[in-house]
Amino acid sequence: MLPLYMICPNCGRVTAVDTGYCRHCRAPLAEFGFTVAPDEARIFDLEIGVDAEGVPVGFRYSDILKHMAVLGLTGYGKTTFVKKLLSGLVDSGVRVLVFDWEGEYGDFSEGCGIDMISVFDLKFNPFIPDGEVYDYSEWLFNVFKKIYSEEGIEFSPQMEYVLRMSVLENVKSKGDFISLLDFFKEFSSDLPAGRATAMALTTRFSRLAYGKISHVWGRKRLNLLKSSMVLDISPLARLNVSDARFLMFLLLRRLMSEASLSRDRLRNVVVLEEVEEISSRRRLSELWTPASFLMRMRKRGVGLIFTAHSPSLIDPSLLKGVANVVVFRIVDREDSIIASSLLGLGREGWRRLTALNVGEALVRTSSSSSCFPVKVLKPEYRSLSSKAYLLLKDIEANPLSGVRTRRARLKITGSEYFRAEKELVKRGLIKPVYVYIGRGRPVKLYSLKGYNPLHDYGVKKVCRVLDRMGVAYRVGDMPDVSAGDVAVEVETGTNIFEEKYDVLLNKYRVVVVVPLTKVALKRLGKIAGGRIKIATISALDRILSRILKKRFNDLQSI
């Protein structure tokens, strides 16, 4: 049923909708197009709420891949909307990464069973380069300039030279901020007033080496897209926003290097809260801003969702790059005009945005023809049981372990393990896969978020057998493992063709093929024979011992 009355977007007064025109200012109401949701919004993968008729509406996965802006005042539903959307994505098996500036996602993390990690637990080294050393060092140099220029601190030409050279050498050596201070002294020593230059740079950068942000640094390399997580930046942001902004630039750069081409399939969603902090109108073009991140990530299967209080403070190129817009109440006129233009409203449509209530939003998706009103629903978390949560974390950390080893490590009974496994399978978080070993019961592993451990399990088994025999070997792509003139190829049944084995036979005396599924064993039967030997996991030790012993005897006779 259509509503009988609505607030005119042109004059802001209540009017009946039966005539199609406002009874006060005579503006055509159809121009603003938000009485009910269009049909496109009622066909969705992720429900977000209901429209004016009470019909559920939502987004498609393809919409999320084209990025989203969530705008509005504090307390009117932005974070609730994002949590609702993300809970649906997590249930669908999409990995999510949330940069939480205010520490507001604790309930979401607990409800969806994903990790909430403090920024001080990252322990990564920002001087490990992503890509070419010189390009990365130049980018890092420009980040330093931007961060300090926003604080009103400028660098002289001589200071810029010393900083650029020091960053380059530190990236080459994969040092830390303490070694960066040492490079300041080294490159300033032969310059006029070099001691003053070194002291000035040391004063500016000491906080990164010894301040609170120094607890973020460590020795490891980041891997942000491996699993879902909420990264709590609030402990650092409360102390120093500039340090938090600097960290965000580093993390966005790292995300770009991790993502790979995925043929437009949604695999990861990144949420940037309080995007004004890192993507203001004043920016340097050399920096890895959210706008440059956004332009490159769609074809890598990464969707970006960002929230902001004031669109007038955001880099305009960031707003132009989103195809989905969700707007909650906005009071400021300049912000309302920008938001209404993103929604495709008329010239005076901004007035409607100032009258939205808590939990109400105007939404425009990449697949809808016009914007429409939505009453946003609160997220409903289907929490994992404690045993299921422990099992999921163990599978993520040890994907190649068998059931017995996993049960012993978790110290749970068989019935507890079965119930936890069933819960995870029902939620779509894991999928059992079985390793064919020949004689004996198959080994049960779990496919987790698109990762199938079968091949890695087979390679690991081959390496263990060769280690017990004391044989030197090398792990590669083709063959998977080689020991002298013997090649070992692990097959799961998806990439078997005769040409591959013709190439291997030209380079190696014998090729041992290890089938990990019955499908692989059946397909290999057509090409086995002669110098191509088939060895199941249970027979691998015996067959490799015989082949390698024969090779040793042949060498002795020579």
Side-chain angles (χ1 to χ4, degrees):
M1 180 178 177
L2 291 174
L4 298 178
Y5 298 92
M6 66 178 290
I7 297 175
C8 174
N10 186 49
C11 67
R13 288 179 284 185
V14 177
T15 179
V17 300
D18 54 351
T19 63
Y21 291 88
C22 174
R23 294 190 175 183
H24 306 285
C25 67
R26 306 303 297 169
L29 299 177
E31 174 186 347
F32 304 105
F34 48 70
T35 53
V36 294
D39 293 338
E40 301 94 326
R42 297 180 176 183
I43 303 172
F44 54 83
D45 300 309
L46 303 162
E47 183 182 358
I48 59 170
V50 296
D51 66 4
E53 291 184 330
V55 178
V57 293
F59 289 91
R60 301 176 184 176
Y61 294 129
S62 58
D63 293 331
I64 308 298
L65 200 56
K66 297 172 184 175
H67 312 306
M68 181 185 302
V70 184
L71 312 173
L73 295 176
T74 300
Y76 279 84
K78 295 194 308 297
T79 302
T80 299
F81 165 80
V82 174
K83 289 177 181 177
K84 173 65 176 175
L85 191 64
L86 293 183
S87 63
L89 288 167
V90 171
D91 288 342
S92 302
V94 177
R95 294 185 291 268
V96 301
L97 172 62
V98 182
F99 293 104
D100 186 6
W101 277 74
E102 302 293 341
E104 298 177 311
Y105 283 80
D107 60 333
F108 165 75
S109 172
E110 183 178 349
C112 291
I114 64 177
D115 291 330
M116 186 167 187
I117 300 174
S118 171
V119 67
F120 294 120
D121 293 330
L122 289 178
K123 303 300 180 186
F124 75 103
N125 184 356
F127 290 100
I128 296 179
D130 293 326
E132 294 293 330
V133 169
Y134 179 78
D135 293 338
Y136 182 78
S137 66
E138 275 296 298
W139 173 83
L140 198 55
F141 164 75
N142 283 304
V143 169
F144 288 138
K145 280 182 59 179
K146 175 178 174 60
I147 294 298
Y148 283 100
S149 65
E150 289 184 350
E151 297 178 3
I153 300 174
E154 299 296 335
F155 294 97
S156 66
Q158 183 164 300
M159 290 172 65
E160 286 192 13
Y161 166 78
V162 173
L163 177 59
R164 178 179 270 112
M165 297 303 297
S166 300
V167 170
L168 177 59
E169 288 302 316
N170 212 36
V171 170
K172 286 181 179 178
S173 61
K174 299 180 181 178
D176 54 22
F177 280 100
I178 295 177
S179 62
L180 181 67
L181 302 184
D182 294 333
F183 280 123
F184 290 158
K185 298 176 183 178
E186 178 181 334
F187 286 103
S188 300
S189 58
D190 297 331
L191 299 176
R195 185 176 179 184
T197 299
M199 289 181 63
L201 288 171
T202 301
T203 300
R204 287 160 169 76
F205 284 84
S206 290
R207 84 176 193 220
L208 298 177
Y210 303 108
K212 191 66 176 178
I213 193 175
S214 65
H215 297 291
V216 178
W217 315 133
R219 295 182 178 275
K220 68 181 182 182
R221 190 185 188 96
L222 277 179
N223 193 342
L224 296 171
L225 296 181
K226 185 177 181 181
S227 61
S228 296
M229 75 170 77
V230 176
L231 185 57
D232 186 8
I233 304 175
S234 61
L236 181 61
R238 292 189 191 109
L239 298 173
N240 193 310
V241 174
S242 294
D243 286 348
R245 189 181 301 121
F246 169 63
L247 179 65
M248 284 297 303
F249 286 141
L250 295 177
L251 296 178
L252 287 179
R253 174 67 182 244
R254 179 62 198 159
L255 277 173
M256 179 60 194
S257 65
E258 286 185 31
S260 57
L261 295 178
S262 66
R263 297 181 182 178
D264 293 349
R265 182 171 65 88
L266 184 65
R267 298 190 301 180
N268 300 85
V269 171
V270 177
V271 178
L272 298 178
E273 286 277 334
E274 315 297 340
V275 78
E276 299 101 324
E277 299 290 352
I278 55 174
S279 185
S280 62
R281 286 177 174 265
R282 296 183 302 131
R283 66 183 182 90
L284 295 180
S285 59
E286 299 91 339
L287 289 187
W288 204 262
T289 61
S292 55
F293 172 84
L294 178 147
M295 299 303 175
R296 293 167 171 80
M297 299 310 285
R298 185 179 67 80
K299 292 185 178 180
R300 288 170 168 78
V302 179
L304 176 66
I305 301 173
F306 64 85
T307 70
H309 301 94
S310 179
S312 62
L313 299 179
I314 302 175
D315 175 9
S317 62
L318 182 61
L319 293 173
K320 293 176 182 177
V322 297
N324 304 278
V325 183
V326 180
V327 183
F328 292 83
R329 185 174 185 176
I330 297 179
V331 175
D332 181 79
R333 179 169 180 172
E334 182 182 0
D335 290 337
S336 300
I337 291 174
I338 294 174
S340 66
S341 66
L342 294 172
L343 290 168
L345 296 178
R347 193 171 47 178
E348 297 294 329
W350 64 273
R351 297 179 186 273
R352 179 68 176 94
L353 302 180
T354 65
L356 292 171
N357 296 319
V358 175
E360 294 179 350
L362 291 183
V363 177
R364 184 163 191 170
T365 73
S366 64
S367 57
S368 63
S369 56
S370 62
C371 72
F372 52 92
V374 174
K375 181 67 176 178
V376 176
L377 299 176
K378 293 184 178 180
E380 296 178 0
Y381 304 122
R382 293 182 289 170
S383 299
L384 294 173
S385 65
S386 58
K387 294 291 190 297
Y389 179 78
L390 290 175
L391 177 58
L392 179 61
K393 293 304 168 187
D394 189 79
I395 293 172
E396 289 178 346
N398 308 285
L400 305 183
S401 294
V403 173
R404 288 186 179 180
T405 305
R406 208 179 296 283
R407 274 185 53 196
R409 188 162 48 237
L410 295 175
K411 299 179 181 179
I412 59 178
T413 65
S415 59
E416 289 174 333
Y417 186 95
F418 174 76
R419 285 195 297 269
E421 179 193 63
K422 186 177 180 181
E423 184 178 349
L424 294 176
V425 171
K426 190 174 181 180
R427 289 280 300 272
L429 297 175
I430 62 172
K431 180 181 179 182
V433 293
Y434 295 89
V435 182
Y436 173 73
I437 63 172
R439 291 184 178 180
R441 182 181 299 177
V443 176
K444 181 192 285 188
L445 302 176
Y446 301 98
S447 176
L448 179 70
K449 297 174 183 175
Y451 168 66
N452 192 324
L454 278 181
H455 187 270
D456 289 344
Y457 179 86
V459 173
K460 182 180 177 181
K461 281 292 184 183
V462 172
C463 293
R464 282 186 177 179
V465 169
L466 294 175
D467 284 335
R468 287 198 301 268
M469 296 170 59
V471 176
Y473 60 87
R474 185 175 61 183
V475 178
D477 292 329
M478 195 178 86
D480 294 313
V481 183
S482 60
D485 57 357
V486 177
V488 182
E489 188 72 8
V490 176
E491 294 288 6
T492 62
T494 59
N495 190 28
I496 300 175
F497 50 92
E498 293 185 16
E499 291 79 6
K500 176 171 70 173
Y501 289 95
D502 291 339
V503 173
L504 290 174
L505 289 174
N506 288 332
K507 296 177 61 177
Y508 297 93
R509 181 173 60 90
V510 178
V511 178
V512 179
V513 190
V514 183
L516 298 182
T517 63
K518 288 187 176 181
V519 172
L521 181 64
K522 183 177 180 180
R523 292 180 180 177
L524 287 170
K526 299 178 181 179
I527 61 175
R531 291 191 291 153
I532 299 178
K533 311 292 184 183
I534 295 180
T536 60
I537 293 290
S538 59
L540 185 61
D541 202 332
R542 174 173 52 83
I543 292 177
L544 280 180
S545 296
R546 186 173 68 232
I547 292 173
L548 293 172
K549 184 177 180 180
K550 184 176 184 303
R551 186 189 68 169
F552 178 77
N553 292 336
D554 291 344
L555 292 175
Q556 289 291 94
S557 63
I558 293 175

